[in-house]
Amino acid sequence: MCPVDVRRRLRINDVFLLLIILKFGLHAVDAVWPLPQTFTSWTERYPLNPQHFHFGYRGRSAALEGCPVLDAAFKRYFSLIFPDYAPGNDKLRIREDKPFSVEIAVDGHYCESYPTEDSSERYNLSVSAGQACLNAETVWGALRGLETFSQLVYQDDSGSYFVNKSDIKDFPSFQFRGILLDTSRHYLPVQAILKTLDAMAYSKFNVFHWHIVDDQSFPYQSRTFPDLSSKGAFHPMTHIYTQSDVRRVISYARMLGIRVVPEFDSPGHTKSWGKGQLDLLTPCYRRGIASGTFGPINPALASTYQFMESLFKEVSSVFPGSYFHLGGDEVDFSCWRSNPYIRAFMQKMGFGDDFAKLQAFYIEKIVNITTALNKTSIVWQDVFDYNERRSSLSVVEVWKQGCYLCEVRRVVKAGLRVILASPWYLDLPGPTHNWARYYNVWPLAFSGSEEQKRLVIGGEVCLWGEYVDATNLSPRLWPRASAAAERLWSDEKQTSSVENALPRLLDFRCKLLRRGIQAEPLNVGHCRHEYQGV
């Protein structure tokens, strides 16, 4: 056990301490982002010498040396904690020779598995003289604790490293904390995705929602249907994600405790699909004659569902997670309406002229396919809004503007789980430095029972790709996405003040810069270590 000294305790919300920090330039020892659930720190501090610092496993830990997730994390976090250190570096003045160890105990092994929607990320961290004790239920919780410890370490003006005595008990408020990247409207190189995963881990995000294909391009290279990318990608060789690329992203994310959720949006947003798969899209008609243009996927053909089942069977084998995003948003009915064969099919099925029923028919068939593959479907809120038969639905992502909490309330009243995205669309108009609009969000501020509110499983930051590629991906995301990260991780009551959060976010942005993440400025000022990647 790490001892607790209650006589010199300083609470995280101590405004007086914050004023001292701002006035005299002392290190913000409480500048952890996102804010832990309970966080006590002391003025007592301990010097760290990278030559006498090590990570280790405590005897009772289920995970021991040889656990790939934690062994890799130890190497990664050593470099993050001591960015100036390299053997033989004479510029770093090291006066302290006392050893310091971070000892980890994990209740369950989980070293070879993937994180799931039920994985615990809870951890306890105590920092005292010569040691930090990190206890977690899973390796994923240990990763979150290592991130917190790395943010507690700071340097003085001479470059010496310190960490203050601290006691932290922490866990996320929501189990789903995601970021959506759109790789169809602009192709994102794999390295840009991996760098985003790094930054996500720094903010304790745990889901990468990969909107991998759309109208504009189909960069996913399918083993079963290779023409989808060879004819539907921007370029069949340079602008695709091979099976190896996808495995690399999934494996990299796993080591950071991040799940990868693929989205193959249909029946709309599928123009690129039709280039590589004949008879998949609906032919549009004009004045009773085929116009040569195409609309959404054709829901009237049995071959459509045979194709979708084969494609989804492959995708499900590639992506190990339990969630599969089916899209279902923004379907334009005009092409279906123009097609005489579609209208005849609707009459046969008893749909009349209600094209929402046709879309519901299609989505139900697709949901059944994913269910048979042992996957849980996520759909955009459009599917919930038009679908009277909702028994097949599981998770609804609320994305439209307006009274989004009204929509959340309707969904949970129907007994379905909710992911909230509406307030975190980073591509909406407005000044990019206005992070507070993403911070002042209260996902549970609707009238409902506690049981209903537990159905809000989390939220997601969406960065659509119309005007985003690798050149501006990071500054568009960070640090605005980190505002949402704190809302989804931390206690609402402790993080209700933008003014109190700003000094910590400024400090965290500087940490991101030093870690090589191009996080844009929030106001006039500077960081001690400016971005060096140019």
Side-chain angles (χ1 to χ4, degrees), residues 142-161:
L143 290 179
R144 306 299 173 237
L146 287 170
E147 175 58 38
T148 295
F149 179 81
S150 75
Q151 294 187 31
L152 292 175
V153 177
Y154 60 97
Q155 287 179 278
D156 64 8
D157 290 338
S158 68
S160 297
Y161 293 97

Side-chain angles (χ1 to χ4, degrees), residues 102-124:
V102 179
E103 301 292 335
I104 292 182
V106 178
D107 294 341
H109 190 266
Y110 306 106
C111 290
E112 307 300 332
S113 64
Y114 288 86
T116 70
E117 65 271 20
D118 298 320
S119 294
S120 170
E121 296 172 281
R122 181 184 296 268
Y123 69 92
N124 296 334

Side-chain angles (χ1 to χ4, degrees), residues 261-379:
V261 176
E263 181 182 357
F264 285 76
D265 193 357
S266 71
H269 293 276
T270 51
K271 288 182 181 179
S272 65
W273 302 40
K275 297 176 182 178
Q277 184 66 21
L278 296 177
D279 301 323
L280 178 64
L281 303 185
T282 303
C284 304
Y285 281 68
R286 185 177 183 183
R287 296 174 183 173
I289 302 173
S291 65
T293 60
F294 296 88
I297 284 176
N298 191 332
L301 299 179
S303 59
T304 291
Y305 304 103
Q306 294 167 0
F307 163 79
M308 296 298 285
E309 183 176 11
S310 296
L311 177 63
F312 284 6
K313 185 176 182 180
E314 175 195 313
V315 172
S316 295
S317 70
V318 173
F319 290 86
S322 62
Y323 283 148
F324 195 128
H325 206 304
L326 300 178
D329 64 317
E330 298 181 320
V331 180
D332 184 352
F333 294 154
S334 59
C335 184
W336 282 350
R337 188 177 290 112
S338 75
N339 187 300
Y341 301 99
I342 294 291
R343 293 201 307 272
F345 176 79
M346 291 179 65
Q347 295 303 314
K348 176 183 174 183
M349 298 299 295
F351 298 157
D353 294 325
D354 191 343
F355 288 90
K357 289 183 177 179
L358 178 62
Q359 185 178 359
F361 168 82
Y362 169 84
I363 288 291
E364 187 169 356
K365 299 269 279 187
I366 299 302
V367 168
N368 289 340
I369 289 172
T370 55
T371 300
L373 295 168
N374 200 29
K375 298 291 184 179
T376 300
S377 300
I378 304 174
V379 295

Side-chain angles (χ1 to χ4, degrees), residues 290-506:
S291 65
T293 60
F294 296 88
I297 284 176
N298 191 332
L301 299 179
S303 59
T304 291
Y305 304 103
Q306 294 167 0
F307 163 79
M308 296 298 285
E309 183 176 11
S310 296
L311 177 63
F312 284 6
K313 185 176 182 180
E314 175 195 313
V315 172
S316 295
S317 70
V318 173
F319 290 86
S322 62
Y323 283 148
F324 195 128
H325 206 304
L326 300 178
D329 64 317
E330 298 181 320
V331 180
D332 184 352
F333 294 154
S334 59
C335 184
W336 282 350
R337 188 177 290 112
S338 75
N339 187 300
Y341 301 99
I342 294 291
R343 293 201 307 272
F345 176 79
M346 291 179 65
Q347 295 303 314
K348 176 183 174 183
M349 298 299 295
F351 298 157
D353 294 325
D354 191 343
F355 288 90
K357 289 183 177 179
L358 178 62
Q359 185 178 359
F361 168 82
Y362 169 84
I363 288 291
E364 187 169 356
K365 299 269 279 187
I366 299 302
V367 168
N368 289 340
I369 289 172
T370 55
T371 300
L373 295 168
N374 200 29
K375 298 291 184 179
T376 300
S377 300
I378 304 174
V379 295
W380 295 109
Q381 74 177 77
D382 313 48
V383 175
F384 174 84
D385 292 342
Y386 65 66
N387 197 336
E388 295 178 357
R389 297 174 57 186
R390 296 164 175 166
S391 59
S392 64
L393 303 181
S394 298
V395 184
V396 176
E397 184 160 6
V398 174
W399 69 275
K400 294 184 179 180
Q401 305 303 301
C403 185
Y404 54 80
L405 289 181
C406 300
E407 180 77 0
V408 169
R409 184 170 182 267
R410 286 191 289 268
V411 176
V412 298
K413 281 189 69 176
L416 302 176
R417 286 169 282 174
V418 170
I419 298 167
L420 180 61
S422 302
W424 295 307
Y425 265 49
L426 298 190
D427 58 327
L428 292 180
T432 58
H433 63 271
N434 184 8
W435 64 276
R437 65 187 287 191
Y438 309 110
Y439 194 76
N440 287 329
V441 175
W442 318 107
L444 302 181
F446 61 90
S447 59
S449 67
E450 288 302 311
E451 183 180 359
Q452 289 173 340
K453 292 188 177 186
R454 281 195 293 269
L455 291 173
V456 181
I457 62 174
E460 185 167 82
V461 173
C462 296
L463 187 63
W464 296 100
E466 285 88 349
Y467 304 102
V468 176
D469 64 8
T471 64
N472 62 349
L473 171 63
S474 287
R476 286 287 178 94
L477 266 178
W478 312 108
R480 291 187 298 165
S482 299
E486 179 150 294
R487 178 57 53 238
L488 293 169
W489 180 279
S490 305
D491 178 76
E492 281 191 357
K493 293 180 181 179
Q494 295 187 57
T495 56
S496 59
S497 168
V498 169
E499 290 76 16
N500 289 347
L502 178 59
R504 286 188 300 109
L505 186 56
L506 290 171

